[in-house]
Structure formats: structure tokens, C-alpha cells
Amino acid sequence: MKKKKVDLSSGVLSVFASLICIAVGLIVGLIILYCINAEQAFDGFTRIVKGGFYLMPKGLGSVLAQTAPLIMTGLSVAFAFKTGLFNIGAAGQYTLGALGALYFALVLHAPWWLCLIAAMLFGAVWGAIPGLFKAYFNVNEVITAIMFNWIGLYAVNEIIYKGAIGNMYDSKTTKTYTIRSVSEGSVIPDLGLNNIFKTKSTTIAIFIAIVIAIIVYIVINKTTFGYELKACGHNKDAAKYAGINDKKNIVLSMTIAGALSGIGAGLYYLSGVAEWNPQVSTALPNMGFNGIPVALLALSNPIGVIFAALFVSHITVGGGYLPTKYFQPEIADVIIAVIIYLCAFVMLFKGFVMNAIASKRKNGSDANAKEAAQKTGAKEKGKGADA
């Protein structure tokens, strides 16, 4: 009876490796909780693992509201990764996207879809700048993007606080005005989701983000444009030799990445999840930086980004439910950080597993070949004896 060969695809191995990273990260989180307060550790760990399910249905609504923008920033980083670039400027592009969305909503009272387009364009422009420096001056995109993160943050805070392009700042709350109270039409529709989840910020943003993730997947894997972008990422010189315009593709890649981050900011603020606080001038939006672990955990797969963003949001919301008397909610960030660190070894882990499988198959083939040769030799020997 022949043994069935189990063909483990690269995708299955990637998922398996990511799950191991998640499991180890959760174990490390549990150990940290025990070190801080052994008596409350299990309760705290349970809250983190339950995440949005801890306070149903409101908690799950919060997870979905946080996931939508996180999918977009994760796609932004993943898209750049696929084309050989590291978009560490997602936070700055997210910041400019927030400015575009808030300006069109609070000052121009534009409909939500137009506000979302504005957020996309503002983010795209901010993403294109590092791309231009990379393509035409060979300046590393990481350096340029980091600098423009801070330029964007301080510029946006100053513009909103001083009312340079319109009155968006509410001095009573020290934040921007609530969009729902100023321009109801600028809020992304919820189609009854707020009633289901008992929230005020669970809108169709999550579905918009999922649709965009699917579109990005198709563009990268099923179109000539996506092939050219990946070709430039794998080997810029070879792509150039093949007739592909490498400079144009570098700029386009960073522009699209910036547009995705900008949309993320639009989905967040136009859903009414929070208001922009220009007085917090020393902190870039966490949503922009959290796109990096999402992309790493998903191994830059646009569909994987959806599930990675859900997981990160789930853990983050769970961390917010930790009793502050015993723990800080940032413990969830520690767990995510451990998972990110382990994700750096995912490719190494996949290599070991693939080599082990290949070696096992080779040994099996050699054994079968040896057995067949022995049988053939025995038959020939038997024929010789008969003769």
C-alpha cells in the first residue's frame, strides 16, 4: 500500500509559522503578567485573549472600528514591501490623510465619500515625496519617510490648532469638532451596525477596507502593473533591462502606499472613532506604526493583512480592558512586539521545514529506488539460474 504524500504549500507553512509566533507571543505576555501580579495574571490574560468578546457586543464593535484603518495601514506597508520598499512613513501619510478628511468634513461639509477621496489624495502626495527622492536622487526611503513623518505631524497640528485653513479646532475639548455634530453627511454610514454593536463608531468602514484589500491582492498578483512593481522590487536592474521603467514604478509604489494610509485615516475619523488632538504634538498616530506589525504578521499578503489586522485590534482592545489597578494596557503592545520580533524568523522557520520535507522525500525516493533495483537484480539473477 502506497503512502500518500502530504504536499504542504508555502502558504500553509506561512500560516503555520505565523500561528507559532502568535502562540509564543501570548505565552510571553502571560509570563509578564505573572511577574507583575501573579494573583491577577490569569484574569488579565483572559481579558487580553477574549479581546472584543470580553464586553459583547460593544467590544466586538470596537474591534471592527479599529480594524478598518489598521487594514489600510497594513496594506500600505505590505504594498511597499512587495515592491522592495520599506514604507515606514505610513504614520505621516496617515496624518495627512486625517487632515484631508477633517478639512473636507468640518470646513467644506462634503459628503463622506468625497472626504474619503480627499484623505486618499493627501496621503498619496505625502507618500509620493519619499518615492521621488528614492527614484531620482537614490535617497533611502526610510530616512526620507521618517523625516516627513515629523514634518507632517507638526504641520498638521499647527494648521488645525491655528485654524490656518478653516476652523476645525474646538478649544473647549482641545480636539477637533465632532464630525457628527458639524456635518452629519460627512460621517460614514453604519447601516444599522451601531444598533447591533451598541456603539457610535461601527460603520461600513470595515467592509470598505476588506474590498480594498481584495483589490490590492488582484492588482499585485493578477495584473501586468503588479508584475512590473514586483519585478522592480526583486531586482531593479533586471527589471530595467527588461524595459520596465523602474523610476516610475518606485514613485507609483510609494504614492499608492501613501494613498492607502490616507484612506485608513479617513475610515477612522469619518467613522467618529475619535477626534484629532493637535496638542499631542510629540506622538505620531499609533495606527500608522501598527501597520508594520500587521504587514509582517501577514507576510505582506493583502488577504492575510485582513486577518492580521483583526488579531492586532483584538489584542489591543483586550489590553484596554485590563484593570489599571494591577496592569497597564500597554502590555498588549508588548505581546504584539514579541510577535513582530518572532515574525522576523518566519522565513527562516519556513526554510527549515521545507528542507526537512524535501530531505524526507528524497530519502523516501532513494529507498524506493534502491528497493526497486534490488527486486530487478533478484529477477535477473533468477532468470540467469533458470537458463
Side-chain angles (χ1 to χ4, degrees):
M1 188 176 178
K2 292 183 179 180
K3 292 182 179 179
K4 291 183 179 180
K5 292 182 179 179
V6 181
D7 185 20
L8 292 176
S9 67
S10 178
V12 173
L13 285 174
S14 299
V15 172
F16 182 61
S18 296
L19 289 175
I20 290 176
C21 294
I22 291 171
V24 174
L26 290 173
I27 292 170
V28 171
L30 179 59
I31 293 171
I32 292 172
L33 291 172
Y34 264 105
C35 292
I36 296 172
N37 191 314
E39 292 181 0
Q40 300 294 327
F42 186 74
D43 176 62
F45 184 74
T46 302
R47 296 185 186 211
I48 291 175
V49 172
K50 283 186 175 180
F53 294 104
Y54 184 75
L55 288 179
M56 283 285 289
K58 186 177 181 180
L60 188 56
S62 297
V63 170
L64 294 178
Q66 297 280 344
T67 299
L70 196 52
I71 288 174
M72 300 312 304
T73 54
L75 286 174
S76 175
V77 178
F79 189 87
F81 274 155
K82 283 288 188 181
T83 55
L85 299 168
F86 182 24
N87 183 27
I88 201 171
Q93 296 146 19
Y94 182 92
T95 300
L96 266 293
L99 176 65
L102 292 171
Y103 174 71
F104 271 69
L106 298 176
V107 178
L108 302 182
H109 307 299
W112 67 270
W113 56 268
L114 187 57
C115 297
L116 203 57
I117 292 174
M120 178 185 72
L121 293 176
F122 275 57
V125 170
W126 215 245
I129 298 172
L132 289 167
F133 276 95
K134 172 72 173 181
Y136 293 98
F137 303 104
N138 200 29
V139 178
N140 191 291
E141 72 277 8
V142 173
I143 297 173
T144 313
I146 289 174
M147 297 305 295
F148 273 83
N149 277 345
W150 295 105
I151 292 171
L153 176 67
Y154 290 124
V156 168
N157 283 336
E158 190 69 13
I159 289 170
I160 292 177
Y161 184 71
K162 298 293 184 181
I165 58 173
N167 187 19
M168 293 180 277
Y169 179 70
D170 184 358
S171 57
K172 295 179 180 178
T173 62
T174 68
K175 298 178 181 179
T176 53
Y177 287 102
T178 304
I179 294 177
R180 201 178 297 275
S181 65
V182 175
S183 178
E184 186 70 29
S186 300
V187 180
I188 297 175
D190 65 272
L191 300 183
L193 290 175
N194 280 328
N195 291 330
I196 294 172
F197 295 106
K198 310 299 180 184
T199 60
K200 294 182 180 179
S201 57
T202 309
T203 65
I204 61 170
I206 183 65
F207 302 113
I208 295 172
I210 291 172
V211 169
I212 292 174
I214 294 171
I215 292 172
V216 170
Y217 175 82
I218 293 171
V219 169
I220 290 176
N221 296 290
K222 306 295 182 182
T223 66
T224 304
F225 174 63
Y227 175 80
E228 290 183 354
L229 289 176
K230 288 191 292 184
C232 287
H234 287 303
N235 192 322
K236 186 174 70 173
D237 295 328
K240 187 176 180 180
Y241 182 77
I244 297 172
N245 190 332
D246 59 317
K247 289 183 172 60
K248 181 189 77 173
N249 283 305
I250 288 172
V251 176
L252 280 175
S253 175
M254 289 300 293
T255 302
I256 293 171
L260 292 170
S261 288
I263 293 173
L267 293 178
Y268 186 76
Y269 290 101
L270 295 174
S271 293
V273 181
E275 287 73 47
W276 185 270
N277 188 348
Q279 292 191 347
V280 184
S281 58
T282 58
L284 285 159
N286 288 332
M287 200 67 73
F289 284 117
N290 284 346
I292 298 174
V294 166
L296 288 172
L297 191 59
L299 298 178
S300 299
N301 185 303
I303 303 302
V305 164
I306 298 171
F307 299 100
L310 268 170
F311 171 75
V312 172
S313 297
H314 179 80
I315 293 295
T316 303
V317 170
Y321 293 141
L322 286 172
T324 55
K325 182 179 179 181
Y326 306 109
F327 308 107
Q328 292 299 316
E330 284 74 20
I331 290 175
D333 295 330
V334 174
I335 295 173
I336 294 169
V338 172
I339 293 171
I340 299 168
Y341 182 79
L342 292 172
C343 282
F345 298 96
V346 166
M347 297 305 295
L348 183 64
F349 173 77
K350 282 178 62 180
F352 283 137
V353 175
M354 292 290 283
N355 290 336
I357 293 172
S359 177
K360 187 176 180 180
R361 286 179 177 175
K362 185 179 178 182
N363 292 336
S365 299
D366 291 343
N368 291 335
K370 187 177 180 180
E371 184 180 350
Q374 287 175 348
K375 288 181 179 179
T376 303
K379 287 181 181 179
E380 290 178 354
K381 188 175 180 180
K383 288 178 181 179
D386 293 337

